[in-house]
Amino acid sequence: MGCSSCSSGGGLPGGCRNNGACGTYGCNKLEVFDWLSGMQLPDNQKPFDIVEVRFKNNRKGFYRMQPGMELYIGDVVTVEVGPGYDVGVVSLTGELVRAQMKRKDVKDNYEIKKVLHKSKEHEITKWQEARSIEQATMMRARTIAQSLNLQMKISDVEYQGDKSKATFYYTADDRVDFRELIKKFAEEFRVKIEMRQIGYRYEAAKLGGIGSCGRELCCSSWLSDFRAVSTSAARYQQLSLNPAKLAGQCGKLKCCLNYELDQYVEALRDFPSVNTRLKLPKGEAVHFKTDIFKQTMFFVYEGQPGEAPFPLHISAVKEIIEQNKKGIAIEDLDEFLEEEDVEVGTDFAQVVGQDSLTRFDKKRSGKSGKRKSKNKGDKRNNEKQAKNNNAPATPPASKGKEKQEKGNRQEKQRNDKPQGKPNNQQSDNKGGEQKPKELKAPQSKPAQSDKAPEKNKGNRNNRHRNQNNKGKQGGNPNAPKNNQQ
């Protein structure tokens, strides 16, 4: 698909290191595996003198080698055509070519044209130049056809190796009169023009692509004969008749619908007719659906839309049909019902599918010191914010209690200190600075009656100290006051 013979490859394939010309296989359309490579011919038998040459996309041809010429897969050769020459790549040699000619009904006679020689450098250069202008030629040809109001689609253009001829491949539903179109093409491109109509399936095979299954299209990789596909193939395989799902890229029914059709038809021979009516205790039952793999048929009661369909094995259906023919009434349907498989749950947990997808992820750590110092302040702020978010909110009542307890501790510390002289107290207040107000001591509870005399004694001492200070200051209004109570 990606070698130099493909218009969209660009000269080299995507993953092949042999440039699309492996010794036994390649990456091209309709490639044939050379399973005879490396095997020696019997004595006194000459190699087959015809090779298969591949051109653009899936076009191939058979050409006879000159006497004494030796070619291998991947060689670029110049072959004989009507007027002029063409350049291609050898895709198959040896006895497999004989088998391919027999498969495609090509006779080994004088009509087979010859391989002139291995391509020379100027021939390869001219061939590559012709390939490079094919895309632009196709786009210009589509514009000209549209200007003439022709109901056709030009899907591909292929130049001959000597740039003397161009073949235009197109698709159309009806017959197209392109006589005027050929004149326009000849004036525009200055080469010999050949118009070739192809079907929609051949267009998909020539262009290639990826199918809905995720693989390369069968028609461009290995399928060469296109058989008719009908909607009955989908009915036999119990598929819904949805055109969007059954149609391929060519717009026709998918060729793969015929792959397993014979097996389905053979399996359905053992099933009773879908038009069978069963006479059961609740009434007549009609066919609902069929499970071919389990050999089970589902029936529903006629006239009872709310009833769920019940499964019956094909052997049970045949037995009920025989009893209905003999006039024997079916008394109990349970003995004919097919038992449904019940899924057994597992008794373990934390399996591979239940593990976290991020369990192997590692935390990013800064490598440079600059980055660490830069993000250090943000890190601290984030930690403080996380602590505040995680810390439980304290009610306002508890905060008030904490303040009261703190004030009690400070008051007790002051009372325990030895009382100094009044002069010290006066020297402390000379600067005119006011002392901070002290919190009121909480009233003692009845249980703490033994500590009450000590607190009263401390209050009496404070009162005497304040009176002495006032007497010494002589009633100075600017002197600081002690607001202890």
Side-chain angles (χ1 to χ4, degrees):
M1 292 294 295
C3 63
S4 58
S5 67
C6 180
S7 62
S8 60
L12 293 176
C16 180
R17 297 183 179 180
N18 293 290
N19 296 334
C22 308
T24 57
Y25 194 68
C27 55
N28 309 293
K29 296 183 177 71
L30 299 179
E31 191 74 7
V32 179
F33 182 76
D34 189 3
W35 52 275
L36 291 178
S37 63
M39 297 180 64
Q40 297 180 357
L41 294 173
D43 297 338
N44 300 326
Q45 183 177 350
K46 295 181 179 181
F48 195 53
D49 60 345
I50 297 178
V51 295
E52 183 187 65
V53 180
R54 168 176 46 81
F55 301 96
K56 183 182 178 181
N57 290 331
N58 60 349
R59 186 171 72 90
K60 294 182 179 181
F62 298 98
Y63 296 88
R64 193 183 304 275
M65 294 186 295
Q66 299 285 354
M69 183 179 293
E70 188 175 0
L71 297 176
Y72 299 95
I73 295 176
D75 291 341
V76 182
V77 294
T78 302
V79 298
E80 178 186 5
V81 292
Y85 65 89
D86 202 356
V87 179
V89 181
V90 177
S91 58
L92 204 62
T93 59
E95 292 299 320
L96 284 181
V97 180
R98 194 194 304 271
Q100 287 291 101
M101 293 177 63
K102 184 177 180 180
R103 176 174 170 268
K104 296 181 178 181
D105 197 15
V106 178
K107 296 181 180 180
D108 183 6
N109 51 23
Y110 65 94
E111 295 182 357
I112 297 179
K113 296 182 179 181
K114 298 179 181 180
V115 177
L116 299 178
H117 53 265
K118 288 187 178 181
S119 298
K120 299 178 182 178
E121 185 176 357
H122 70 276
E123 294 174 340
I124 296 176
T125 303
K126 198 171 186 179
W127 172 51
Q128 292 177 348
E129 290 177 357
R131 288 294 173 85
S132 63
I133 63 175
E134 287 175 348
Q135 182 68 19
T137 303
M138 183 183 67
M139 302 306 295
R140 178 58 183 162
R142 288 181 178 179
T143 304
I144 297 174
Q146 188 176 4
S147 64
L148 297 176
N149 295 325
L150 297 177
Q151 301 298 323
M152 59 185 297
K153 176 190 174 184
I154 299 176
S155 58
D156 195 17
V157 178
E158 182 179 2
Y159 272 92
Q160 195 169 289
D162 56 357
K163 295 177 66 175
S164 62
K165 176 184 174 183
T167 304
F168 293 83
Y169 298 92
Y170 72 95
T171 57
D173 295 331
D174 300 325
R175 187 180 179 86
V176 179
D177 184 9
F178 46 77
R179 289 176 292 181
E180 185 67 23
L181 181 66
I182 292 178
K183 294 180 182 179
K184 295 281 186 181
F185 284 173
E187 294 176 0
E188 181 74 22
F189 305 116
R190 300 294 181 178
V191 292
K192 184 179 179 181
I193 305 299
E194 180 182 353
M195 303 295 295
R196 186 173 297 181
Q197 185 175 4
I198 58 177
Y200 292 102
R201 290 186 174 177
Y202 287 94
E203 179 189 14
K206 182 175 286 293
L207 301 179
I210 304 297
S212 58
C213 59
R215 302 187 62 180
E216 188 180 354
L217 296 179
C218 299
C219 54
S220 64
S221 57
W222 61 273
L223 186 63
S224 58
D225 55 333
F226 302 104
R227 298 180 182 179
V229 184
S230 61
T231 55
S232 60
R235 291 193 182 97
Y236 279 120
Q237 300 177 51
Q238 309 294 321
L239 300 176
S240 61
L241 301 180
N242 187 357
K245 294 184 178 181
L246 297 180
Q249 292 191 0
C250 58
K252 306 296 182 181
L253 292 175
K254 294 179 181 179
C255 298
C256 56
L257 293 174
N258 285 340
Y259 294 169
E260 299 178 352
L261 180 60
D262 296 339
Q263 285 76 10
Y264 277 92
V265 172
E266 184 178 357
L268 287 173
R269 291 176 182 173
D270 298 333
F271 283 75
S273 175
V274 295
N275 299 323
T276 303
R277 289 175 172 267
L278 303 180
K279 295 181 180 180
L280 301 174
K282 292 185 179 181
E284 288 190 355
V286 295
H287 177 262
F288 179 71
K289 67 176 182 178
T290 303
D291 191 341
I292 300 176
F293 300 102
K294 294 183 179 180
Q295 294 186 339
T296 304
M297 299 179 69
F298 291 81
F299 290 86
V300 292
Y301 288 105
E302 189 176 13
Q304 300 180 13
E307 292 287 337
F310 52 91
L312 294 174
H313 196 267
I314 57 175
S315 59
V317 175
K318 292 179 180 179
E319 184 177 354
I320 293 174
I321 292 174
E322 292 294 330
Q323 293 184 8
N324 289 339
K325 288 181 179 179
K326 295 178 182 179
I328 301 174
I330 305 299
E331 297 180 355
D332 188 8
L333 183 62
D334 294 339
E335 60 183 9
F336 296 101
L337 291 177
E338 182 75 10
E339 295 182 359
E340 297 183 0
D341 297 335
V342 180
E343 296 183 0
V344 180
T346 56
D347 56 349
F348 57 88
Q350 195 62 22
V351 294
V352 176
Q354 297 176 356
D355 288 338
S356 175
L357 296 177
T358 60
R359 63 187 186 277
F360 296 118
D361 294 346
K362 295 182 179 179
K363 295 182 179 180
R364 297 179 60 182
S365 59
K367 296 182 180 180
S368 61
K370 295 182 180 180
R371 189 174 179 182
K372 286 184 178 180
S373 61
K374 185 178 180 180
N375 298 332
K376 193 172 183 180
D378 297 339
K379 201 171 186 181
R380 289 177 180 174
N381 295 334
N382 294 335
E383 290 177 357
K384 289 181 180 179
Q385 188 175 1
K387 288 182 179 179
N388 295 334
N389 294 334
N390 297 330
T394 57
S398 61
K399 291 184 178 179
K401 290 182 179 180
E402 290 179 358
K403 290 182 178 179
Q404 291 179 1
E405 292 177 358
K406 188 176 181 181
N408 294 337
R409 287 195 298 269
Q410 292 178 355
E411 185 68 22
K412 188 176 179 181
Q413 289 176 1
R414 292 194 195 97
N415 296 334
D416 292 341
K417 288 182 180 180
Q419 296 181 4
K421 295 181 181 180
N423 293 333
N424 297 336
Q425 183 69 22
Q426 184 179 0
S427 62
D428 294 337
N429 294 335
K430 283 182 180 180
E433 296 181 358
Q434 294 183 359
K435 292 185 177 180
K437 295 183 180 180
E438 297 181 359
L439 295 175
K440 293 183 179 180
Q443 297 179 0
S444 58
K445 296 181 182 179
Q448 299 176 352
S449 59
D450 55 342
K451 294 182 181 180
E454 296 180 0
K455 291 185 178 179
N456 294 333
K457 186 177 179 181
N459 292 335
R460 257 188 259 107
N461 295 332
N462 293 334
R463 198 178 299 115
H464 290 303
R465 191 181 302 117
N466 293 335
Q467 290 176 1
N468 295 332
N469 291 335
K470 287 180 181 180
K472 288 183 179 182
Q473 290 174 0
N476 187 5
N478 297 327
K481 297 181 181 179
N482 210 347
N483 295 328
Q484 292 182 358
Q485 292 181 2

